[in-house]
Amino acid sequence: MKIFDILMWIMFFISSIVSIITTLVLFGISYGAFLKPFSTMLPLEISLALTFFLWGLNSLYGSYLIDKDNNPKFSIMLFALGGILLIFVIFGIY
């Protein structure tokens, strides 16, 4: 489905921006009230979990993929990684 592809690329972009902001804040850039939530790894972990879930959905339902035999293994791996990250977020493990 094309919507999963579009959402996946939007989440890749958002995760890239969140990781850059988190890196800058954690390594000494002075921040105001707007960047205070980025002083932990929680926003980065949430964005990566959503990215992996959308990537798994896109690899499972993408009709344009060439190698469909290896596709379920890859999407299950992405779902598992996204689920593990989501469990870490819920329990507060960074």
Side-chain angles (χ1 to χ4, degrees):
M1 298 177 102
K2 195 69 171 169
I3 189 74
F4 291 137
D5 191 37
I6 293 169
L7 289 174
M8 180 191 69
W9 284 108
I10 289 172
M11 278 309 298
F12 277 142
F13 178 73
I14 290 172
S15 291
S16 299
I17 298 299
V18 168
S19 67
I20 290 170
I21 292 172
T22 303
T23 303
L24 290 176
V25 169
L26 288 177
F27 289 108
I29 300 296
S30 62
Y31 55 90
F34 175 70
L35 296 178
K36 189 166 178 92
F38 293 101
S39 62
T40 65
M41 297 296 272
L42 187 63
L44 180 63
E45 200 167 350
I46 292 170
S47 68
L48 286 176
L50 290 175
T51 301
F52 285 134
F53 278 131
L54 287 173
W55 194 5
L57 282 174
N58 190 34
S59 67
L60 188 62
Y61 294 113
S63 60
Y64 56 89
L65 296 173
I66 296 171
D67 188 15
K68 288 195 181 247
D69 295 334
N70 198 16
N71 195 19
K73 295 175 192 173
F74 184 67
S75 61
I76 289 170
M77 179 186 68
L78 290 171
F79 278 127
L81 190 55
I84 290 169
L85 283 175
L86 198 59
I87 289 171
F88 284 175
V89 167
I90 291 170
F91 288 117
I93 302 169
Y94 304 116

